[in-house]
Amino acid sequence: MGAAPFFPPAPGPRGERHRRREIWTRRRSDRGYAARGEVMNAMGDADAVVLVEELRKRYPRGVIALDGISFAVAPGETFALLGPNGAGKSTAVRILATLTRADAGRARVAGHDVAREAGRVRAAIGYVAQATGTDKEATGRENLVLQGRLYHMPGPRIRERASQLIQWLDLGGAADRLTRGYSGGMRRRLDVAMGLVHEPRVLFLDEPTTGLDPESRSALWRDLQRLKARTGLTILLTTHYLEEADEAADRVAIVDHGRIVAMGTPAELKAQIRGDAVVLDLVPAQAPGARDLVAALPGVRDVTLEGRTLRCRVAEGARMLPQLITALDRAGLSVLSAAVRRPSLDDVYLHHTGHAFLSGAPEAVGP
Amino acid sequence: MNLLGDAYAMLGRHLRSSVRMPVWVVVELIQPAIWLVLYGQLFRSVALIPGFTGGSYIQFLMPGIVVMDSLFGAAWAGMGILTDLDRGVLDRLLTTPASRTGIILARVLHSAVVVAVQTVVVVVIALMVGARLGGGVEGAVLLLVVAMLEAAGFAAASNGLTLLVRREETFIAVLNLFTLPLTFLSATLMSQSLMPGWMRAAARFNPVNWAAHAARLATSRPAALGPALPYLLPLAGFALVAGAFATWAFSVYRRAT
Ligand SMILES: Nc1ncnc2c1ncn2[C@@H]1O[C@H](COP(=O)(O)OP(=O)(O)OP(=O)(O)O)[C@@H](O)[C@H]1O
Ligand SMILES: [Mg+2]
């Protein structure tokens, strides 16, 4: 990174408190074409900064965390692994960051094999774990300086870099206070800064914005985009937030049960979903009957019912909605509310995994 | 070779967080003094038992407390790496190019430094209540070396154990299983000549016992290095083996998580 300073995060344009939590139903859909990982990106593998081939990992107690995943990330690209709890996202990132070993398959990062050339991989990457990794008994600055020393940077450069990052973190007076007194968001931003101290070529971010408020989240991404524009940094992130994957990532892989079920740019993924989503809110007792009725109508696809919420897909939502409501009304079934949505990554998600994202309370950052 | 540089950087971190805990510092300094006084009073009459060959009991006890303190201080060293593990700090360190051996070495050196300070406290107090340093300055230095080597060995073993079990309860249970028996199977608090034969035989394989003998030689008579070497060398060997064990434990950790 050049001499240009980082900028403190300013309040983002999207101020709405819009957070999501996922509620998963354990239903498995048929797996997409990418399920066995045979579809690689069009880019030549030789250019890839991160190249993953058929990684498998089973934990000692028999949990299969990765069931053969493959993908390639191009230089300067932001690539998101999107998936529910337990999908295997962290496991994949931990293997790439040399923290754990795969049982089978190969992975190369920055041109080096993660199993055989772990030292070279480590020098090239920054890693921000899902749980914070700051030393609580040290100040923010001390954390940054030690990190720089472990990357064997020269002393003056470390001090310069630490001051730069502290300015970016906007910690104000807190830079020289123990991080045990930091808020979750401050600590999370310090985590990201620690991953950037040595100006890595590749940055792994495991749920970087969980626990950040919407303003901090968009400010962080604005700064990371700026950094990417200047340095060509490659980012691999994992996330639960569909909007985050949609907005920040150049390409997205949807991971479910240790496999990649869909992969592509957000636009490509959305284009696979034809038509609009219709969401109907029903009276609970009538919901199953309504589902059967709607599913039997011509031109209606992908009908799912979760609790009292019925979703389906139709060619033209605005035209179809009145017909749906009328049909239900004739059968004596009431519709409490109705909405039509253009295809979103939510729908891609639902289509490929059979689970839906539902709005809910915010999640806390891990311990 | 970044091992020493990495260890030095991380040792700085450990020492800094230690001195930031004033209560911890005070307790670490008072505890050896309490042991010295308690054991000194409790076992005073041991020196009167026929067959006891240690001279006055406080003279006998001074090196014993140094050795015991070193064992108990170092055996708990694994708690530090466990905290790092639970807080995600260890994973962060492991993704940097920092040497694994350096991570262990920093923790081991930290324990050795703390034990060195405690040794000085024990010796100063013992001198005030009538013990003498028979080995003079060289003997005092030798005593420090013995205490630090012992601490290094047990600190490394403790760190390795932590990486293998990765759970506080298990770690503490194993610790409790070993520390007191190791103390009693040695000449730390009791003259070897008063031990039953089988205990004396078992004590020959106990690093704590090696440390106790070397420490006693360092404090009892002049020019102690020669006779102490047969204990000092195995003690150094123990520290090296324990260090290798702890570094190896990282690969187990990497496979299991
Ligand atoms: N150390 C471990 N030992 C045993 N099983 C593990 C371990 N770590 C993860 N698992 C299991 O492996 C599976 C994948 O976990 P992983 O943490 O990779 O998922 P994830 O996609 O990151 O989930 P989340 O969104 O909750 O972070 C889960 O079933 C989990 O229970
Ligand atoms: Mg995870």
Side-chain angles (χ1 to χ4, degrees):
Chain A
M1 208 167 309
F6 279 102
F7 297 92
R14 292 173 299 137
E16 83 277 30
R17 292 229 144 223
H18 182 213
R19 302 207 193 169
R20 290 158 171 276
R21 198 178 70 186
E22 53 298 310
I23 295 170
W24 304 102
T25 53
R26 285 285 117 192
R27 191 156 41 78
R28 299 176 72 124
S29 69
D30 59 326
R31 304 215 167 271
Y33 57 89
R36 283 161 303 279
E38 66 261 37
V39 177
M40 290 297 293
N41 191 341
M43 145 192 58
D45 289 350
D47 301 333
V49 176
V50 178
L51 181 60
V52 174
E53 291 172 32
E54 284 294 315
L55 278 189
R56 286 169 200 283
K57 169 87 180 174
R58 180 192 197 119
Y59 282 106
R61 270 179 223 117
V63 180
I64 295 175
L66 291 181
D67 198 8
I69 64 164
S70 305
F71 59 86
V73 184
E77 195 176 25
T78 300
F79 188 89
L81 295 176
L82 175 67
N85 291 124
K89 307 179 298 291
S90 295
T91 303
V93 174
R94 286 172 59 84
I95 291 171
L96 294 175
T98 77
L99 277 175
T100 187
R101 280 175 170 278
D103 299 334
R106 292 195 315 146
R108 294 177 78 77
V109 174
H112 306 291
D113 188 286
V114 294
R116 275 174 286 130
E117 301 166 285
R120 289 175 181 231
V121 171
R122 287 176 192 136
I125 63 165
Y127 168 71
V128 178
Q130 184 169 349
T132 181
T134 54
D135 175 4
K136 289 189 186 175
E137 311 303 332
T139 67
R141 189 187 305 273
E142 285 163 355
N143 267 294
L144 289 166
V145 167
L146 178 62
Q147 187 80 350
R149 290 179 72 181
L150 297 180
Y151 281 99
H152 311 129
M153 293 162 64
R157 181 77 189 114
I158 295 177
R159 282 189 293 279
E160 180 191 338
R161 196 70 188 122
S163 305
Q164 225 175 51
L165 288 166
I166 282 167
Q167 197 184 340
W168 170 59
L169 288 170
D170 198 24
L171 289 176
D176 294 305
R177 285 214 313 265
L178 297 189
T179 65
R180 74 162 47 253
Y182 285 17
S183 73
M186 281 158 86
R187 199 172 294 142
R188 199 61 185 143
R189 283 182 289 141
L190 178 60
D191 281 329
V192 176
M194 282 168 61
L196 289 171
V197 167
H198 58 296
E199 302 170 65
R201 284 180 61 194
V202 190
L203 183 63
F204 294 117
L205 298 171
D206 199 350
E207 296 186 24
T209 58
T210 306
L212 290 187
D213 59 36
E215 291 83 35
S216 309
R217 190 181 304 167
S218 51
L220 177 67
W221 277 113
R222 215 178 36 243
D223 290 334
L224 286 174
Q225 301 295 7
R226 196 176 292 155
L227 180 64
K228 278 174 53 126
R230 204 163 57 227
T231 63
L233 176 71
T234 306
I235 297 179
L236 174 64
L237 78 135
T238 77
T239 183
H240 292 185
Y241 299 114
L242 290 160
E243 313 95 310
E244 183 168 50
D246 198 353
E247 285 167 27
D250 300 314
R251 282 193 307 135
V252 179
I254 297 178
V255 186
D256 192 34
H257 292 98
R259 292 157 172 259
I260 291 179
V261 294
M263 182 157 59
T265 65
E268 281 167 3
L269 291 177
K270 284 184 232 170
Q272 290 174 4
I273 305 293
R274 287 164 296 116
D276 302 329
V278 173
V279 183
L280 301 176
D281 200 13
L282 304 161
V283 177
Q286 301 176 349
R291 178 194 50 205
D292 296 342
L293 190 148
V294 170
L297 292 175
V300 179
R301 289 175 284 126
D302 298 349
V303 182
T304 60
L305 180 66
E306 269 173 47
R308 51 194 275 181
T309 306
L310 182 116
R311 289 157 210 270
C312 62
R313 189 157 299 288
V314 298
E316 281 179 87
R319 195 182 296 264
M320 193 67 182
L321 185 59
Q323 296 178 25
L324 280 176
I325 294 175
T326 310
L328 287 167
D329 197 41
R330 278 209 200 106
L333 304 167
S334 350
V335 175
L336 301 180
S337 73
V340 175
R341 278 190 291 106
R342 301 288 308 145
S344 71
L345 220 42
D346 271 282
D347 302 311
V348 179
Y349 200 92
L350 178 67
H351 178 75
H352 285 289
T353 67
H355 335 293
F357 273 70
L358 296 178
S359 299
E363 272 200 348
V365 200
Chain B
M1 191 65 177
N2 293 306
L3 165 63
L4 294 180
D6 293 342
Y8 179 69
M10 285 180 279
L11 175 62
R13 170 192 166 219
H14 301 323
L15 290 175
R16 204 170 48 208
S17 33
S18 290
V19 290
R20 280 186 184 152
M21 300 185 283
V23 176
W24 178 87
V25 172
V26 170
V27 169
E28 291 293 301
L29 292 180
I30 288 178
Q31 185 208 39
I34 293 177
W35 283 0
L36 193 66
V37 170
L38 279 185
Y39 285 105
Q41 292 299 305
L42 191 62
F43 292 131
R44 202 166 31 167
S45 48
V46 168
L48 306 175
I49 298 174
F52 182 85
T53 53
S56 88
Y57 193 66
I58 191 69
Q59 182 70 32
F60 178 80
L61 195 61
M62 175 176 67
I65 294 294
V66 165
V67 164
M68 193 173 154
D69 190 69
S70 172
L71 168 66
F72 278 77
W76 286 98
M79 287 303 279
I81 211 165
L82 195 57
T83 307
D84 270 3
L85 200 157
D86 287 340
R87 290 184 184 168
V89 177
L90 188 63
D91 277 351
R92 172 170 58 81
L93 296 178
L94 289 176
T95 54
T96 71
S99 146
R100 267 82 185 129
T101 317
I103 295 176
I104 295 294
L105 185 60
R107 294 224 160 258
V108 164
L109 288 176
H110 177 237
S111 292
V113 168
V114 173
V115 163
V117 173
Q118 289 177 319
T119 301
V120 171
V121 173
V122 171
V123 168
V124 167
I125 295 175
L127 290 181
M128 288 193 299
V129 295
R132 286 185 316 106
L133 277 174
V137 177
E138 289 149 57
V141 172
L142 183 57
L143 181 66
L144 262 187
V145 171
V146 169
M148 289 173 78
L149 267 184
E150 184 195 0
F154 283 104
S158 170
N159 278 296
L161 174 69
T162 309
L163 289 173
L164 291 190
V165 302
R166 295 188 296 280
R167 287 197 43 180
E168 190 170 328
E169 293 83 356
T170 322
F171 171 72
I172 293 175
V174 176
L175 213 65
N176 284 335
L177 185 65
F178 278 105
T179 42
L180 271 183
L182 282 176
T183 309
F184 287 117
L185 273 179
S186 77
T188 303
L189 297 174
M190 187 60 74
S191 168
Q192 189 125 355
S193 51
L194 294 177
M195 281 187 191
W198 70 268
M199 279 179 87
R200 213 178 312 165
R204 291 180 52 187
F205 303 99
N206 179 0
V208 180
N209 189 44
W210 306 334
H213 280 291
R216 212 144 268 148
L217 287 167
T219 51
S220 57
R221 53 180 119 141
L225 183 59
L229 269 186
Y231 300 111
L232 214 50
L233 291 179
L235 200 55
F238 166 65
L240 283 179
V241 170
F245 158 71
T247 306
W248 167 80
F250 271 124
S251 61
V252 177
Y253 172 75
R254 189 175 176 213
R255 237 172 291 133
T257 58

